[in-house]
Amino acid sequence: MTATDRSLELINKAAQAAADKLAHDVIAYDVSDVLSITDAFLLASAPNDRQVKSIVDEIEERLSKELGAKPVRREGDREARWVLLDYVDIVVHVQHSEERVFYALERLWKDCPELELPADAQATRGKGEEHARARSAEEANESGGEW
């Protein structure tokens, strides 16, 4: 079994919305062969809670306006460290960069086929690591280079 056309449409629209709000490391997996509850997962991350919330809000708004889709469940809003949007056909995970590294959802789903995403979403790959390196260098400069 593979993800349905509707699932792919939702995934691509959500991925583009995440990329437009400067999400990092946007990736999607077809989990339809291993899970009966959904067809696909979309993973995205951001370096701070406010941006996580902004990405989630943009995905929700765009899927609602352009595809008439509303999540049946939204979890993690209060802390905005890991927000989950459940659209039944797809599940969107937007995580704070630290949670993304700690929980490493990619490791769990690495055996599932990766879904092709819009070019803007693909261009987000490696942005989380790039941001972390820049932040470390910035912190080192602020402390005079001492650790």
Side-chain angles (χ1 to χ4, degrees):
M1 181 181 227
T2 59
T4 65
D5 289 342
R6 174 66 172 171
S7 297
L8 296 175
E9 182 180 36
L10 291 166
I11 282 286
N12 283 311
K13 190 65 69 177
Q16 185 63 54
D20 290 348
K21 285 295 183 175
L22 307 178
H24 296 167
D25 304 310
V26 179
I27 191 167
Y29 294 101
D30 180 339
V31 296
S32 61
D33 282 342
V34 293
L35 293 176
S36 60
I37 58 170
T38 193
D39 282 349
F41 281 164
L42 180 74
L43 311 176
S45 54
N48 60 61
D49 302 352
R50 191 172 73 201
Q51 191 173 355
V52 166
K53 187 157 180 38
S54 177
I55 293 165
V56 168
D57 290 345
E58 182 68 16
I59 291 170
E60 193 169 7
E61 182 177 330
R62 197 154 323 164
L63 291 184
S64 177
K65 280 185 179 176
E66 297 179 20
L67 300 177
K70 295 187 189 273
V72 296
R73 190 172 71 228
R74 182 175 173 158
E75 296 181 7
D77 254 350
R78 186 173 300 188
E79 300 84 23
R81 301 284 294 179
W82 181 352
V83 180
L84 180 144
L85 296 172
D86 183 353
Y87 286 90
V88 180
D89 293 327
I90 70 166
V91 175
V92 177
H93 300 267
V94 183
Q95 298 174 297
H96 188 286
S97 299
E98 293 170 1
E99 269 68 11
R100 179 84 177 258
V101 170
F102 183 79
Y103 290 102
L105 295 178
E106 290 91 340
R107 254 191 2 245
L108 292 173
W109 305 110
K110 69 179 181 217
D111 293 334
C112 295
E114 190 176 321
L115 295 171
E116 190 170 332
L117 297 175
D120 290 344
Q122 289 180 20
T124 67
R125 301 284 174 84
K127 295 288 184 189
E129 190 175 318
E130 188 180 300
H131 182 268
R133 275 196 309 271
R135 192 166 160 213
S136 292
E138 196 175 280
E139 288 171 358
N141 285 339
E142 287 174 3
S143 68
E146 297 176 21
W147 294 92

